[in-house]
């Protein structure tokens, strides 16, 4: 089962959007995921409800099942 | 005449007896006897709409008469605004703000409280940067409101939900909570200020906004669950209820609904106590009372919880409004009205008629029967997102193009999207006298538009009040009429030409 990946409109720069496109799974842009402190600090996504920092790990490292 | 203005944040109107016997999302009735009694006294507005969304944009509409969202997002008052409290001072009228709405004191939201003669700020609601201890609040509280991975209790990051747990850690009884504090202070203010010749008092109550953390008896009033069960959240994330971070099981959603309902009943109780004081102090015959909300709150409606993440359906945009004053003649009106009209209404009630009302038109003639109609169309929306327009019979919603930008106009360099964190410089900004309602210079800079949905929508509000069937290709007559009306109103208001471009008009 594919994970649910959400990211913030304000947080996603071109680099993050390109990365999200490269994982070949559905991602959803939200207006605000209510993690403004993290959003200000670094790129992040929310995978199955859990915040994942893109600087600390790539999406594939965090969820090897992503195609 | 004195004016008492009450805003109850996030109060969806189908939870009020004046608008619906039973809310659309519950199988039980919600007790609101005091608000129902006030509705019996007041003129009930059946077709009242939000304008600029969400919280602070609504307050700029109410307090300055500015239809904001066509030009800029959430932010402060502008130097060219004429705030109600400023005008009250200029006319010798005392003004007072009583609130727990901490957004007034956050980044980029200044200018709303400074002009009142007095203001009371009840500290601690939601993310209010107040208490820093205890370092580690009770585990049970944290379990109900946050994920420790995104909101670590030992992190000093902005908008950490641990702040709420700290702020409320000493709460033990009903009087400790925010609504009782706000309304008891308002009651005291009414009792203590009888000697002033004329006053304007604004009570801005953050409840029934989330978190839905409420004391007994309200917490157990509409559920058999243990309100302290750590498996149940009282602070859901905004978004779809069937996936992702905002996912809620049926049990969790039912609990959230019960706590929202309990919050409504708690607010009703304390509004009632305030109104009892109005009666005891014999204030009704010399006071206009206007009660409304900035927007609603989805509780599973259209598959969503919260607001912002989806188009402003009726549950968000069709807001409650009650207006009382001693010369009232009309019980209910279906005239089409909108949030920005409260500015002129409040000035009218204060007997101030020498001001430019900018985008606002007084509603008082609707309450006396002097007039039956008000507006032909009203627009609402979030800056940078969908623009909605309704004539009360149909609603039409036009999203921005997917790769479009929206221009932001302000004397400040506002963050277009990250409203709650420090502002950032805008090297791409230019400056000029861009606004049609002032000669003042402002900055102007672009930001990415945000699509709450990607397709045009049209709903028949009479046959489909919950907006389930998109008629955009089935009723081209209504579609074309509202499309034209939207374009005409953008032109009439002098909205930026870029609004037409981003909407692909």
């Amino acid at each position: 089962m594919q994970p649910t990946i959400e990211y913030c409109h304000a947080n996603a720069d071109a680099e993050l959007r390109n990365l999200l496109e490269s994982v070949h799974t559905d991602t959803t842009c939200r207006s605000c995921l209510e993690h403004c402190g993290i959003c200000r600090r670094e790129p992040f996504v929310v995978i199955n409800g859990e915040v994942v920092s893109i600087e600390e790990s790539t999406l594939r490292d965090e969820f090897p099942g992503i195609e | 005449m004195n004016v008492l203005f009450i805003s109850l944040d996030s109060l969806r109107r189908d939870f009020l007896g004046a608008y619906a016997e039973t809310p659309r999302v519950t199988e039980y009735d919600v007790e609101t006897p005091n608000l129902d009694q006030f509705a019996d006294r007041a003129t009930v507005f059946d077709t009242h709409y939000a304008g600029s969304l969400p919280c602070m944009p609504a307050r700029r509409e109410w307090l300055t008469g500015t239809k904001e969202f066509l030009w800029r997002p959430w932010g402060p008052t502008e130097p060219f605004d004429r705030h109600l409290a400023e005008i009250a001072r200029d006319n010798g009228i005392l003004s007072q703000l009583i609130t727990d709405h901490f957004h007034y004191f956050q980044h980029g939201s200044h200018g709303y409280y400074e002009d009142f003669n007095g203001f009371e700020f009840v500290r601690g609601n939601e993310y209010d940067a107040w208490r820093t201890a205890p370092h580690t609040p009770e585990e049970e509280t944290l379990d109900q409101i946050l994920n420790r991975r995104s909101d670590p209790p030992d992190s000093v990051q902005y908008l950490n939900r641990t702040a709420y747990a700290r702020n409320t850690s000493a709460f033990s009884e009903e009087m400790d909570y925010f609504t009782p504090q706000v309304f008891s202070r308002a009651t005291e203010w009414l009792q203590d200020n009888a000697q002033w010749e004329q006053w304007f008092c604004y009570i801005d109550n953050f409840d029934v906004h989330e978190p839905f953390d409420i004391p007994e008896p309200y917490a157990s009033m509409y559920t058999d669950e243990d309100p302290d069960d750590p498996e149940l959240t009282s602070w859901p994330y905004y978004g779809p209820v069937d996936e992702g971070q905002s996912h809620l099981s049926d049990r969790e959603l039912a609990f959230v609904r019960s706590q929202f309902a309990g919050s409504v009943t708690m607010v009703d109780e304390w509004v009632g106590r305030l109104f009892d004081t109005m009666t005891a102090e014999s204030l009704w015959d010399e006071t206009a009372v206007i009660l409304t909300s900035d927007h609603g709150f989805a509780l599973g409606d259209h598959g969503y919880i919260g607001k912002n993440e989806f188009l402003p359906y009726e549950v968000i945009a069709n807001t409650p409004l009650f207006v009382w004053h001693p010369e009232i003649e009309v019980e209910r009106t279906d005239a089409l009205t909108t949030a920005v009209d409260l500015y002129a209404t409040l000035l009218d009630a204060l007997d101030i008629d020498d001001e430019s009302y900018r985008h606002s038109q007084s509603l008082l003639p609707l309450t006396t029967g002097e007039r039956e109609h008000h507006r032909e169309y009203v627009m609402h929306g979030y800056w940078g997102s969908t623009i909605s327009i309704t004539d009360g019979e149909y609603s039409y919603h036009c999203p921005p193009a997917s790769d479009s930008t929206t221009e932001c106009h302000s004397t400040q360099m506002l963050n277009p999207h990250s409203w709650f964190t420090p502002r950032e410089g805008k090297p791409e900004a230019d400056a000029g006298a861009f606004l049609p309602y002032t000669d003042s210079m402002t900055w102007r800079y672009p930001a990415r538009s945000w699509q709450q949905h990607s397709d045009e929508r049209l709903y028949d509000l009479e046959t489909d009040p919950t907006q389930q069937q998109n008629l955009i290709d089935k009723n081209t007559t209504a579609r074309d009429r509202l499309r034209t009306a939207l374009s005409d109103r953008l032109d009439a208001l002098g909205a930026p030409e870029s609004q037409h471009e981003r909407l692909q008009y």
Side-chain angles (χ1 to χ4, degrees):
Chain A
M1 185 177 168
Q2 290 291 312
T4 302
I5 302 179
E6 301 165 285
Y7 63 98
C8 262
H9 182 62
N11 181 256
D13 57 14
E15 188 178 354
L16 177 56
R17 287 172 192 264
N18 289 337
L19 174 62
L20 292 170
E21 284 179 14
S22 74
V23 301
H24 301 300
T25 190
D26 290 339
T27 60
T28 306
C29 183
R30 304 276 183 225
S31 167
C32 175
L33 285 162
E34 302 169 63
H35 301 301
C36 301
I38 299 170
C39 182
R40 176 171 176 265
R41 191 174 66 216
E42 60 196 13
F44 77 100
V45 294
V46 173
I47 303 179
N48 291 339
E50 294 288 338
V51 169
V52 176
S53 165
I54 299 303
E55 287 186 346
E56 293 172 3
S57 60
T58 68
L59 295 175
R60 288 186 186 84
D61 288 341
E62 185 76 16
F63 280 86
I66 290 176
E67 295 175 359
Chain B
M1 188 159 57
N2 303 317
V3 173
L4 179 62
F5 178 36
I6 303 171
S7 56
L8 306 171
D9 203 293
S10 307
L11 179 60
R12 51 182 287 168
R13 64 182 228 167
D14 64 333
F15 274 63
L16 300 175
Y19 288 109
E21 194 159 317
T22 306
R24 284 185 172 133
V25 292
T26 71
E27 293 176 350
Y28 47 81
D29 298 347
V30 176
E31 294 180 26
T32 55
N34 296 297
L35 289 166
D36 296 349
Q37 190 175 23
F38 177 60
D40 288 341
R41 178 194 289 267
T43 300
V44 178
F45 285 72
D46 282 323
T47 321
H48 186 66
Y49 281 86
S52 303
L53 292 161
C55 304
M56 294 313 294
R59 281 152 184 81
R60 186 155 175 251
E61 292 215 355
W62 293 337
L63 296 174
T64 77
T66 308
K67 198 153 195 67
E68 172 179 282
F69 79 99
L70 300 174
W71 288 277
R72 52 153 257 200
W74 179 301
T77 60
E78 299 282 0
F80 42 80
D81 291 344
R82 285 275 283 158
H83 191 293
L84 277 173
E86 174 190 351
I87 299 171
R89 275 188 194 257
D90 291 345
N91 285 271
I93 300 167
L94 178 78
S95 62
Q96 174 76 22
L97 169 67
I98 301 166
T99 188
D100 62 334
H101 212 289
F102 74 104
H103 289 314
Y104 288 122
F105 303 90
Q106 277 187 303
H107 277 291
S109 300
H110 61 267
Y112 293 93
Y113 68 88
E114 292 92 328
D115 292 307
F116 288 91
N117 288 98
F119 71 87
E120 289 252 23
F121 178 28
V122 175
R123 299 298 308 266
N125 215 336
E126 209 194 25
Y127 292 104
D128 184 13
W130 188 36
R131 302 273 191 215
T132 56
H135 176 273
T136 307
E138 286 186 11
E139 294 291 322
E140 295 77 9
T141 306
L142 297 179
D143 286 338
Q144 278 207 316
I145 66 170
L146 59 79
N147 178 330
R148 285 171 178 74
R149 184 164 174 170
S150 56
D151 296 82
D154 62 352
S155 168
V156 295
Q157 70 192 24
Y158 287 93
L159 268 71
N160 189 326
R161 290 185 171 199
T162 311
Y164 184 82
R166 292 195 180 100
N167 291 343
T168 59
S169 62
F171 285 15
S172 63
E173 57 187 33
E174 182 173 350
M175 264 314 295
D176 296 330
Y177 282 77
F178 303 105
T179 290
Q181 282 290 316
V182 167
F183 280 92
S184 58
R185 293 190 197 190
T187 298
E188 289 172 14
W189 190 88
L190 290 182
Q191 292 166 331
D192 292 345
N193 286 275
Q195 287 182 299
W196 290 96
E197 186 177 339
Q198 189 183 6
W199 49 259
F200 163 52
C201 179
Y202 177 24
I203 303 171
D204 191 357
N205 197 57
F206 196 66
D207 289 338
V208 295
H209 195 291
E210 76 279 4
F212 308 122
D213 172 36
I214 52 176
E216 296 291 2
Y218 313 105
S220 295
M221 198 170 274
Y222 301 106
T223 182
D224 294 327
E225 299 277 8
D226 171 7
D228 297 323
D229 186 337
E231 292 185 1
L232 297 169
T233 184
S234 58
W235 195 346
Y237 286 103
Y238 291 179
V241 295
D242 63 351
E243 67 172 8
Q245 177 181 254
S246 49
H247 177 271
L248 295 172
S249 66
D250 291 345
R251 179 187 171 217
E252 288 170 322
L253 180 57
F255 180 71
V256 168
R257 288 169 172 167
S258 74
Q259 299 309 283
F260 183 92
S263 187
V264 171
T265 298
M266 178 178 70
V267 167
D268 177 84
E269 166 65 24
W270 286 90
V271 171
R273 296 192 194 196
L274 181 82
F275 287 164
D276 288 345
T277 300
M278 293 273 298
T279 302
E281 300 289 325
S282 303
L283 287 171
W284 289 106
D285 289 340
E286 55 192 62
T287 306
V289 181
I290 298 172
L291 189 147
T292 192
S293 184
D294 46 3
H295 47 69
F297 190 91
L299 291 163
D301 311 76
H302 304 278
Y304 286 95
I305 189 86
K307 57 184 186 290
N308 306 350
E309 297 296 329
F310 50 95
L311 79 82
Y313 292 107
E314 292 285 285
V315 66
I316 300 298
N318 188 200
T319 47
L321 175 64
F322 310 110
V323 177
W324 153 261
H325 62 87
E327 285 83 41
I328 201 167
E329 294 286 345
V330 176
E331 292 181 4
R332 298 190 86 101
T333 175
D334 61 1
L336 186 59
T337 61
T338 187
V340 77
D341 292 328
L342 294 188
Y343 179 71
T345 305
L346 291 160
L347 287 170
D348 198 0
L350 289 167
D351 304 317
I352 298 172
D353 59 5
D354 60 347
E355 296 295 329
S356 165
Y357 295 154
R358 195 169 282 175
H359 303 132
S360 183
Q361 300 171 17
S362 176
L363 304 177
L364 289 195
L366 295 168
T367 68
T368 58
E370 183 183 331
R371 205 172 64 224
E372 290 185 358
H373 302 287
H374 190 67
R375 292 182 184 269
E376 192 177 2
Y377 298 92
V378 297
M379 290 194 297
H380 59 83
Y382 295 75
W383 174 87
S385 295
T386 288
I387 296 183
S388 301
I389 187 167
T390 181
D391 59 358
E393 296 179 1
Y394 291 90
S395 69
Y396 169 70
H397 311 268
C398 186
S402 61
D403 56 352
S404 67
T405 59
T406 308
E407 292 176 330
C408 178
H409 305 78
S410 176
T411 55
Q412 304 285 307
M413 290 189 172
L414 311 175
N415 289 351
H417 299 290
S418 303
W419 305 325
F420 308 125
T421 49
R423 284 170 289 166
E424 298 174 355
K426 305 290 183 293
E428 70 277 37
D430 60 350
F434 302 120
L435 303 182
Y437 51 85
T438 176
D439 294 332
S440 175
M441 300 279 283
T442 69
W443 298 114
R444 179 177 66 182
Y445 49 92
R448 283 204 307 268
S449 301
W450 157 247
Q451 282 192 312
Q452 295 164 310
H453 57 107
S454 58
D455 55 334
E456 276 182 297
R457 307 279 183 89
L458 176 75
Y459 297 103
D460 184 334
L461 300 178
E462 293 192 346
T463 63
D464 180 25
T466 58
Q467 297 166 293
Q468 304 297 320
Q469 280 197 307
N470 183 7
L471 302 177
I472 199 70
D473 296 320
K474 295 178 180 169
N475 189 336
T476 55
T477 303
R479 179 197 66 193
D480 292 346
R481 180 168 58 80
L482 271 87
R483 275 180 176 170
T484 301
L486 173 53
S487 183
D488 289 349
R489 265 131 200 91
L490 291 176
D491 290 339
L493 286 166
E497 182 58 33
S498 57
Q499 286 288 359
H500 290 275
E501 295 165 8
R502 64 187 278 279
L503 297 173
Q504 299 178 299
Y505 266 47

